[in-house]
Amino acid sequence: MAMGNHDARGKFDQVMQRDVNFYQQVRNVGFYFIFIQKGTPVSDKKVDIAMQFLRDNIHLSAGVEHVFIVVHYPVYSTGYFGAHPYFSKSLEVFLDANTDKKIRSVFYGHDHNFAAFQRNKQYFFDTGVGGGHITMMNKTKNGKERKWPSDSLHGPLVPINDKCYGYEHHLDSWLLYSRTEVEIAAGKIVYHVRDLVRDTILKSYEQIL
């Protein structure tokens, strides 16, 4: 289960989690946690450090079946803060250079809404808001060009500015309290977005391995 924004438990930092950049393995699943900012704007220097950490440590997950990357700041986003193209492009370069490393998807938050993107065979999830507030993008004052026409968006979107980087990969976005649940099965992974208010599965995304 990939908990939503600000859902850290215990003594973990809600944004950075345990450390700046670290690797954690749970049975046959490896997680790379990277950190590129605290607040905005994103630091390009922290992006470079995070990317170097991934390059230097990708070997740690050599024996696992599935690898996930977790970062607070979004890779692609339909939310208030939007994408940071330098980070997005840097991560794309890393992913394209490591297609054999079983990296299944990337989870993130910072923008307080749910969003799903797919580039090549990998998914990118703004995991939803389970512990913070919803930023109502249909009422935002963050520039009319990025205001949602309703409380949901579906399919590829037309980019207006650099905050919209990656919009061609967009699948769905919702303004709701939600979390993203991960179901690993034989030959596939299924990602469920759960509406926490109604306690129902809003949509599922199947990834054939």
Side-chain angles (χ1 to χ4, degrees), residues 75-208:
V75 182
Y76 311 124
S77 174
T78 53
Y80 183 88
F81 292 101
H84 187 278
Y86 182 73
F87 169 52
S88 304
K89 293 175 183 178
S90 297
L91 186 58
E92 287 176 347
V93 169
F94 172 79
L95 293 173
D96 290 346
N98 290 277
T99 56
D100 61 332
K101 300 301 191 297
K102 301 181 179 180
I103 302 171
R104 309 304 188 195
S105 57
V106 183
F107 300 106
Y108 46 85
H110 197 56
D111 273 324
H112 288 199
N113 57 272
F114 171 85
F117 295 79
Q118 186 178 29
R119 177 180 180 269
N120 299 329
K121 295 182 179 181
Q122 291 159 328
Y123 281 97
F124 300 77
F125 293 103
D126 186 333
T127 59
V129 182
H133 63 276
I134 297 174
T135 301
M136 300 305 292
M137 290 299 294
N138 54 351
K139 300 177 181 178
T140 184
K141 296 180 180 179
N142 194 37
K144 63 180 181 179
E145 72 278 1
R146 299 188 62 241
K147 181 177 179 178
W148 292 20
S150 65
D151 60 358
S152 65
L153 301 171
H154 306 282
L157 303 172
V158 178
I160 303 298
N161 54 32
D162 62 353
K163 296 292 186 181
C164 305
Y165 183 83
Y167 268 25
E168 68 272 23
H169 308 307
H170 179 259
L171 299 175
D172 302 287
S173 293
W174 282 280
L175 297 173
L176 47 74
Y177 287 101
S178 67
R179 69 183 179 212
T180 306
E181 300 174 355
V182 183
E183 179 185 351
I184 298 177
K188 67 179 181 180
I189 298 176
V190 183
Y191 305 90
H192 306 286
V193 52
R194 180 177 294 275
D195 183 329
L196 291 177
V197 175
R198 298 174 179 82
D199 194 25
T200 57
I201 299 298
L202 190 61
K203 188 166 183 176
S204 298
Y205 304 89
E206 186 174 85
Q207 183 178 44
I208 303 299

Side-chain angles (χ1 to χ4, degrees), residues 53-71:
F53 167 80
L54 290 176
R55 289 190 293 269
D56 290 346
N57 292 278
I58 190 62
H59 67 279
L60 296 176
S61 56
V64 306
E65 288 299 316
H66 311 287
V67 176
F68 301 102
I69 295 175
V70 183
V71 57

Side-chain angles (χ1 to χ4, degrees), residues 19-85:
D19 205 348
V20 175
N21 300 300
F22 65 95
Y23 173 74
Q24 179 73 51
Q25 185 171 324
V26 181
R27 297 181 181 177
N28 68 337
V29 180
F31 298 87
Y32 289 92
F33 291 80
I34 57 175
F35 178 73
I36 63 170
Q37 50 75 238
K38 190 156 189 174
T40 53
V42 171
S43 164
D44 288 357
K45 181 178 180 180
K46 284 188 172 67
V47 171
D48 291 339
I49 292 172
M51 293 302 105
Q52 190 63 52
F53 167 80
L54 290 176
R55 289 190 293 269
D56 290 346
N57 292 278
I58 190 62
H59 67 279
L60 296 176
S61 56
V64 306
E65 288 299 316
H66 311 287
V67 176
F68 301 102
I69 295 175
V70 183
V71 57
H72 185 74
Y73 201 87
V75 182
Y76 311 124
S77 174
T78 53
Y80 183 88
F81 292 101
H84 187 278

